Amino acid sequence: MSFERKFTKGVAWMSAGGWVEQAINFAILAVLARLLGVETFGILAMAAALVLLVEFLVRESVSEILLTQDTLSPQRLNSVFWLLVAFGAGLAGLLFIASNPIATFYGEAQVAPLIVALSPTVPMIALAAVPVALLRREMRFRALALRAVCGVIAGGVVGIGMALSGFGVWSLAGQRVTQVGVNAIMAWAAVSWRPGLSVSFTHIGEVLHFGHRIIGLRAAELVAVQMPSVIIGATLGPIQAGLFSIAWRAVEIASFLVTTPLRMVAHPALSQVMRDGANATALLLDIMRITGLVAFPAFAGLALLSEPALTVLFGQKWAAAAPVLSILSVFGLYLCIEKVQQTYCLAAGRVGILALLAWCEVGLSITLIYLTVPFGLPAVTAGFVVAFLVLWPLRFRNLAAIANLKAGTLMRLHIAPFFLAAIMAAGVYLVSHQLAETSGLIVLVTGTLSGLVLFAGLAFFFLRDRLEVLRSFIRQKVPASKPRYTTLLETRGEKDSN
């Protein structure tokens, strides 16, 4: 199988699995939102903020080195595994210790036992991190997709069952622990490797040298996206935290559907191209073209249709989250593009500057959030988003330096989809305005379909190069011995402006 076909097949499996997973997740979230209410989600958001941060530190940190190394010896794998086990156990212990002070900070006693109940997910993720990294390195995305779907189904069954039985907020904790547990079991079932006791201090040193930078990056990213929930919960109360939580969850799911499958495949693919000495920059540009083609119209549409989307999916009581969702849609667009850019830096092992920029975003976002608290939840959300947009050009410059490109070349890739998405947004607004007196479902379905048709027509006339990239991935049958990305930039020339 050629590299292009392997890449396309991986994206297809991750897309199918991700879309099925998130469709099920949406349905489960809608049921739980109707059963449990706004305040329950707000309390969970307070408890889960630190837990999710710790989970992410374990999930996408030290094990990332397994995607960049040329060879994987048993000692290297063992070293990574046992470091992660120790790291996960230590972080779970810190969650237990910090649970009461965090509950005191919020003024919500129920937060402490919730943190304790959620903390087992951390060592579960640590135990499964190496098997997941091996599946990603080998581009076995079918197994990863099936694992994700089974996990969300199992978690949903437990969560809804507990909610119907009157467990309240504990049903959300049960859902999460079950989902992570099933994911871990299925990851181990999909690989033949098993850990041993032979480790190498040389390998441990290499892992720690790489790991402290990426842990710094992941910590900054998680603090940045979880801090709004913490500050909102502490200053504006659980109801406002619940509204922000549901809007953030909608954006998170949308970004997952739009680009996570592509990003998850891109990282090992870029690493493989770099290991083979082929043209990883060309692959980066193609991935960015595809990302812009999908992300701009998706989040423009979500911003305009936020209110009918929330009321149809979660009920009328969540309509107050619509302004927050519209503003967060801008952050969703940023997140999709930035995460894809980040994969190139990770594949190249160049994460130091990224970590520094991420912590600068943390400082600026916290400052702007506190300054905007007196003006209400939409203002807080806007302050949070602005912090990332202000520093975004520096991320473009960092990526350009690593990829040996000009920052302007990377930025110009997004000009055309931006303007076409703006035209599409205007059309969707006119359609939804004409249907304002009808039901939310009609507005949502009609607005979505009209946006899809309008943007597809615009893309056919103005973004044919991107459509050609998609077509080339699907149909490419170049032998694996002749990598497509060895000479792609030379044959394409300087067509980076679109």
Side-chain angles (χ1 to χ4, degrees):
M1 183 184 297
S2 71
F3 172 81
E4 289 79 9
R5 296 292 292 175
K6 194 173 182 179
F7 182 90
T8 304
K9 188 175 180 180
V11 173
W13 269 111
M14 288 302 294
S15 297
W19 293 339
V20 171
E21 176 193 3
Q22 294 305 322
I24 298 170
N25 221 353
F26 250 130
I28 293 168
L29 184 61
V31 173
L32 291 174
R34 292 174 182 273
L35 291 173
L36 301 175
V38 177
E39 188 170 0
T40 300
F41 273 82
I43 292 173
L44 180 76
M46 295 177 186
L50 183 61
V51 177
L52 291 175
L53 187 153
V54 172
E55 284 183 2
F56 197 68
L57 285 180
V58 175
R59 180 184 295 109
E60 296 191 37
S61 58
V62 175
S63 61
E64 298 289 300
I65 196 173
L66 300 179
L67 301 180
T68 61
Q69 294 290 344
D70 291 336
T71 58
L72 295 181
S73 65
Q75 284 187 326
R76 188 186 301 277
L77 290 169
N78 292 338
S79 300
V80 173
F81 175 79
W82 291 113
L83 276 176
L84 278 168
V85 168
F87 187 45
L91 289 175
L94 288 177
L95 284 176
F96 183 84
I97 294 170
S99 59
N100 283 319
I102 293 172
T104 302
F105 171 77
Y106 283 123
E108 291 284 345
Q110 202 171 13
V111 168
L114 273 174
I115 291 175
V116 174
L118 290 167
S119 62
T121 60
V122 178
M124 290 179 189
I125 291 171
L127 286 167
V130 171
V132 171
L134 291 174
L135 291 172
R136 291 176 62 195
R137 180 184 173 98
E138 296 165 8
M139 300 184 77
R140 292 173 58 193
F141 295 105
R142 178 178 179 272
L144 290 171
L146 294 174
R147 162 184 175 266
V149 172
C150 290
V152 76
I153 291 174
V157 169
V158 171
I160 293 174
M162 291 178 67
L164 290 172
S165 300
F167 283 92
V169 72
W170 295 101
S171 58
L172 298 174
Q175 176 197 14
R176 180 63 184 165
V177 172
T178 302
Q179 180 178 348
V180 174
V182 170
N183 284 344
I185 292 170
M186 292 194 67
W188 279 106
V191 298
S192 59
W193 176 82
R194 295 294 181 266
L197 296 178
S198 62
V199 298
S200 164
F201 288 107
T202 301
H203 293 325
I204 289 175
E206 292 174 356
V207 173
L208 291 175
H209 179 73
F210 176 85
H212 83 275
R213 290 180 171 84
I214 196 165
I215 288 173
L217 171 63
R218 297 309 187 201
E221 290 177 340
L222 265 293
V223 170
V225 299
Q226 294 299 325
M227 189 55 64
S229 295
V230 174
I231 298 175
I232 291 167
T235 59
L236 300 178
I239 292 178
Q240 298 299 305
L243 293 174
F244 183 88
S245 173
I246 207 74
W248 169 251
R249 183 64 180 138
V251 167
E252 188 177 44
I253 291 174
S255 64
F256 185 97
L257 293 174
V258 171
T259 57
T260 294
L262 182 62
R263 178 177 67 87
M264 292 295 289
V265 179
H267 188 176
L270 285 165
S271 299
Q272 179 180 324
V273 171
M274 290 180 183
R275 288 196 300 268
D276 293 343
N279 199 334
T281 302
L283 179 57
L284 167 68
L285 293 175
D286 275 352
I287 293 171
M288 288 179 64
R289 289 185 179 97
I290 297 172
T291 302
L293 179 68
V294 179
F296 278 92
F299 285 98
L302 183 60
L304 282 170
L305 300 173
S306 59
E307 184 170 353
L310 288 169
T311 56
V312 168
L313 293 170
F314 307 123
Q316 188 62 41
K317 61 188 174 184
W318 293 96
V324 178
L325 178 54
S326 295
I327 297 168
L328 280 178
S329 295
V330 179
F331 181 75
L333 173 64
Y334 158 85
L335 196 64
C336 287
I337 295 174
E338 190 280 323
K339 286 294 185 182
V340 169
Q341 294 173 339
Q342 187 184 109
T343 59
Y344 188 91
C345 303
L346 290 171
R350 303 277 293 277
V351 296
I353 300 298
L354 279 183
L356 178 61
L357 288 173
W359 281 109
C360 290
E361 289 167 346
V362 168
L364 182 57
S365 63
I366 291 174
T367 301
L368 292 179
I369 288 170
Y370 270 111
L371 288 175
T372 52
V373 161
F375 303 100
L377 184 58
V380 169
T381 307
F384 166 71
V385 173
V386 166
F388 292 88
L389 298 182
V390 166
L391 296 176
W392 199 4
L394 297 180
R395 287 183 175 268
F396 275 98
R397 290 181 63 87
N398 177 60
L399 176 63
I402 295 173
N404 196 26
L405 294 168
K406 293 181 179 179
T409 298
L410 296 173
M411 292 181 179
R412 285 194 297 272
L413 289 174
H414 303 303
I415 293 176
F418 171 80
F419 282 108
L420 296 187
I423 296 171
M424 182 211 74
V428 172
Y429 173 79
L430 292 174
V431 170
S432 59
H433 183 70
Q434 293 296 319
L435 299 172
E437 301 301 322
T438 62
S439 70
L441 179 60
I442 293 175
V443 174
L444 180 61
V445 172
T446 307
T448 301
L449 292 176
S450 61
L452 285 171
V453 172
L454 180 55
F455 191 83
L458 292 169
F460 179 78
F461 288 103
F462 299 104
L463 295 177
R464 288 197 179 186
D465 65 320
R466 296 167 193 259
L467 298 176
E468 178 59 33
V469 170
L470 283 173
R471 192 179 302 114
S472 66
F473 271 120
I474 295 171
R475 297 181 179 178
Q476 183 62 248
K477 296 182 179 179
V478 177
S481 60
K482 297 180 180 179
R484 162 185 167 86
Y485 292 100
T486 305
T487 58
L488 183 58
L489 282 184
E490 289 82 352
T491 59
R492 279 199 179 161
E494 297 298 323
K495 295 183 179 180
D496 295 333
S497 60
N498 291 322

